[in-house]
Amino acid sequence: PPFQAPFWVPRHDVARDNFRAFQAATRDFGRLVEHDDAIFEHRLGPGECVLFVNRRVLHARRAFDVGEGERWLKGAYLDSDVFESKLRVLTARFGGGQVAADAVAG
């Protein structure tokens, strides 16, 4: 990936062979995750948001035309322990059915 730091590879044969195997594996992985069968696309509408577990979902976006309409993007990171604790408190307070709507509304 473009954000991955350069590798230092020792010049002995084993390290070079291991690195070549790593490169082949990353190419294979890239082909798998970029295959049409592995991609889910959804265009968000006004007022919609998406939440996902960053360690479990590969995510990206398509290019967009800056001259077409407005685009507002807001990112946030949430520690899962904090989220789960808040969810337990809201569940205790409001019961299981109402938690999602109340949590989203703030």
Side-chain angles (χ1 to χ4, degrees), residues 18-75:
N18 286 343
F19 184 69
R20 286 185 180 143
F22 171 77
Q23 286 180 306
T26 57
R27 276 192 300 273
D28 290 344
F29 181 70
R31 280 193 285 276
L32 287 170
V33 299
E34 292 173 359
H35 191 274
D36 288 343
D37 291 341
I39 296 175
F40 170 78
E41 287 187 77
H42 175 74
R43 185 181 184 125
L44 295 175
E48 288 184 307
C49 73
V50 63
L51 303 172
F52 47 85
V53 178
N54 215 23
R55 293 184 182 141
R56 301 211 181 234
V57 176
L58 293 173
H59 53 87
R61 63 167 175 77
R62 296 271 183 203
F64 60 93
D65 181 357
V66 294
E68 183 181 304
E70 292 184 42
R71 180 175 187 271
W72 181 77
L73 176 67
K74 185 72 173 177

